[in-house]
Amino acid sequence: MADAHECSTSGLDFSKERNAPRARRKKLLSADYTIKKRQPFDLKKKRDKDVFITNKTNFKAQLKICEKLFNNGAGEVIIHGLGAAVHRACSLALQLKEIHYSGIDFDIKTSTTPIIDDFEPLQDNADYETINRNNSAIHIRVFRKFSIGSLKYQE
């Protein structure tokens, strides 16, 4: 059986690898470039039950959209939040649960979403640049615990 000390003599020195110089990114000045941010979610596959949360949209308007979906007979609503909107997406789901008197439940998934930023030069002597970065995302499936049809009075 290999000992922990024997494994460290395999020739790899992680402290050197960690302190190795990395390729430095050029500093891109906003005066020289315009920034175009690509859409992180695939909007072509957007379903009727998907709600994308942003920090710019009014919270009550987002709540009304979710309520309208539930009132039109949708059994579930999927709330997507990205980056700073993760907290807002959680608040929206909790508000829905409070409105429905705990008659709904959640299925929560988190992920890391790659985002691509395009830098388009304002002058002819500069090159086009792209920067890849990651951002946190949350996907909350809000669904009814029981069917509304089963609650109706039956004779």
Side-chain angles (χ1 to χ4, degrees):
M1 188 163 126
D3 192 34
H5 298 288
E6 293 174 17
C7 293
S8 65
T9 61
S10 63
L12 295 174
D13 189 6
F14 293 110
S15 63
K16 288 181 183 176
E17 182 180 316
R18 186 175 356 144
N19 297 328
R22 295 183 181 171
R24 299 205 176 226
R25 260 190 217 168
K26 289 191 285 184
K27 296 234 178 189
L28 302 175
L29 301 175
S30 60
D32 299 335
Y33 293 92
T34 58
I35 302 172
K36 304 277 182 164
K37 295 184 179 185
R38 295 185 193 174
Q39 287 291 330
F41 297 115
D42 191 10
L43 295 178
K44 294 175 187 169
K45 295 182 181 178
K46 183 180 184 239
R47 299 165 291 195
D48 292 336
K49 60 185 176 180
D50 290 334
V51 178
F52 294 95
I53 304 301
T54 64
N55 282 335
K56 294 181 180 179
T57 309
N58 187 357
F59 186 80
K60 287 186 177 181
Q62 293 170 339
L63 187 63
K64 284 183 182 180
I65 290 170
C66 294
E67 278 295 309
K68 188 183 285 186
L69 288 172
F70 275 125
N71 290 340
N72 289 339
E76 67 180 6
V77 173
I78 301 174
I79 300 171
H80 303 277
L82 181 69
V86 167
H87 177 69
R88 193 168 197 162
C90 294
S91 297
L92 180 66
L94 289 171
Q95 187 71 31
L96 282 170
K97 188 169 187 171
E98 185 178 320
I99 289 171
H100 289 274
Y101 303 107
S102 299
I104 59 174
D105 207 1
F106 308 133
D107 181 26
I108 302 170
K109 293 186 178 153
T110 59
S111 65
T112 303
T113 305
I115 297 176
I116 301 172
D117 296 333
D118 295 320
F119 288 83
E120 295 180 359
L122 296 174
Q123 297 140 1
D124 292 336
N125 58 358
D127 292 331
Y128 284 91
E129 299 285 338
T130 60
I131 292 180
N132 298 327
R133 59 188 175 93
N134 292 321
N135 209 343
S136 58
I138 192 165
H139 314 281
I140 305 170
R141 181 177 155 252
V142 181
F143 58 94
R144 295 183 193 271
K145 286 183 181 177
F146 44 82
S147 169
I148 296 295
S150 65
L151 295 177
K152 292 182 181 177
Y153 178 73
Q154 297 178 359
E155 292 183 22

